[in-house]
Amino acid sequence: MIDLSALRDNPTLAGSRVNLVPLSAAHADDFFESTRDDEIRRLTGTHRRPDYDEVCDWCATRADQFDRLDLAIIEEPGGRFVGELALTEVDADNESAAYRIALSAIEFTGQGLGKEATRLVLDYAFNHIRLHRVWLSVYAFNMRAIAVYRSCGFSVEGRMRDALLWDGRRHDALVMAVLESDFRRAAAD
Ligand SMILES: CC(C)(COP(=O)(O)OP(=O)(O)OC[C@H]1O[C@@H](n2cnc3c(N)ncnc32)[C@H](O)[C@@H]1OP(=O)(O)O)[C@@H](O)C(=O)NCCC(=O)NCCS
């Protein structure tokens, strides 16, 4: 059985180059900036541009949502906001949840921050929330993200054809998932 209190706890997870802290109103300005970054929007397939008030409200209310976990990714040292991630669609009956992550600008990518953040939150998902399965979808062109997910134990389970229409072109999305045993194996490698 999963531990729902671990979702309500709004944990801070400490790594060596990033800390994960509860997403809050303090992150709204940085979060808003990331919603204006065209390359991040393409990689995450985000068509909508939320307005500033929406983003403020979103950030301010995340800690009160007990059926999901939204964390800001803070670079250490320095304390700079470099992105956010979330466990969503927590399904207690089946001990599963969905995962999403987005660093907030391309300049933050390719430095190992996303991999460390993903390992930290998966460790919490499997060892504290006691989930069995974490799944996600990723566009087939997003090779960097796919490489990170594979290194954390995710494997491809399926393909959603033409899931994204972006600038007049259609792109497939892959469904990937990691089971607790996959994560432990990947962590031991
Ligand atoms: C996806 C994301 C979280 C990855 O985090 P990151 O910090 O950039 O990635 P890392 O630096 O930790 O690791 C990148 C890995 O991808 C590999 N990689 C990069 N480009 C690649 C490519 N074109 N093909 C294959 N592998 C690639 C790197 O070699 C590295 O693997 P290694 O550590 O084994 O060398 C981050 O880039 C991000 O948030 N991007 C913008 C939004 C996004 O794409 N979100 C995911 C939506 S599903």
Side-chain angles (χ1 to χ4, degrees), residues 43 101-103 109-115 142-145 147-149:
L43 290 166
I101 179 172
L103 298 183
T109 67
Q111 302 171 40
L113 305 179
K115 191 184 297 180
N142 196 343
M143 300 309 289
R144 185 190 287 123
V148 167
Y149 300 145

Side-chain angles (χ1 to χ4, degrees), residues 82-119:
V82 293
E84 45 83 36
L85 57 75
L87 288 173
T88 64
E89 299 184 47
V90 174
D91 176 346
D93 293 324
N94 294 306
E95 302 177 343
S96 81
Y99 176 58
R100 62 172 301 278
I101 179 172
L103 298 183
S104 52
I106 289 301
E107 66 180 280
F108 302 141
T109 67
Q111 302 171 40
L113 305 179
K115 191 184 297 180
E116 185 177 17
T118 299
R119 284 191 177 146

Side-chain angles (χ1 to χ4, degrees), residues 113-181:
L113 305 179
K115 191 184 297 180
E116 185 177 17
T118 299
R119 284 191 177 146
L120 282 172
V121 78
L122 289 179
D123 181 71
Y124 192 77
F126 291 124
N127 290 323
H128 295 269
I129 306 173
R130 296 203 292 266
L131 289 168
H132 175 68
R133 169 186 165 84
V134 175
W135 65 275
L136 56 81
S137 72
V138 54
Y139 297 114
F141 58 71
N142 196 343
M143 300 309 289
R144 185 190 287 123
I146 292 166
V148 167
Y149 300 145
R150 280 193 195 285
S151 74
C152 293
F154 284 85
S155 53
V156 174
E157 294 187 336
R159 189 173 197 102
M160 297 189 285
R161 294 174 303 154
D162 286 355
L164 176 70
L165 176 59
W166 195 263
D167 279 348
R169 284 191 57 196
R170 297 188 195 278
H171 303 273
D172 294 352
L174 305 180
V175 176
M176 299 184 78
V178 56
L179 303 184
E180 180 194 352
S181 53

